[in-house]
Amino acid sequence: MDFEAELAKFQPSLEIDQAEDAIYGNNTTDVTDLLQSILKDEKAGRNTKKNKSAGWVEE
């Protein structure tokens, strides 16, 4: 079997391309975004018990 020839013929399926578009186009908040928001509020002095950023629940 000629692996180089097989690799040259390879083309990803449409489902993979569509999945990549959905994943990379999704603008979700992750842990890093949450931590940056908390630190920003903390530096600005807005993260007090009366005024929690992003609706954090007090324990």
Side-chain angles (χ1 to χ4, degrees):
M1 181 185 260
D2 186 5
F3 289 108
E4 295 296 325
E6 292 298 318
L7 285 174
K9 292 190 277 183
F10 175 77
Q11 292 186 4
S13 68
L14 292 177
E15 295 86 18
I16 293 173
D17 290 337
Q18 291 170 348
E20 285 178 346
D21 291 341
I23 291 168
Y24 292 122
N26 193 355
N27 189 14
T28 58
T29 302
D30 63 6
V31 174
T32 304
D33 295 332
L34 294 174
L35 289 173
Q36 287 177 344
S37 175
I38 292 169
L39 290 173
K40 180 181 172 186
D41 287 349
E42 193 69 33
K43 285 182 181 180
R46 295 184 296 194
N47 198 9
T48 63
K49 287 187 177 188
K50 292 181 181 178
N51 184 17
K52 287 286 185 181
S53 171
W56 297 104
V57 178
E58 292 184 30
E59 294 181 19

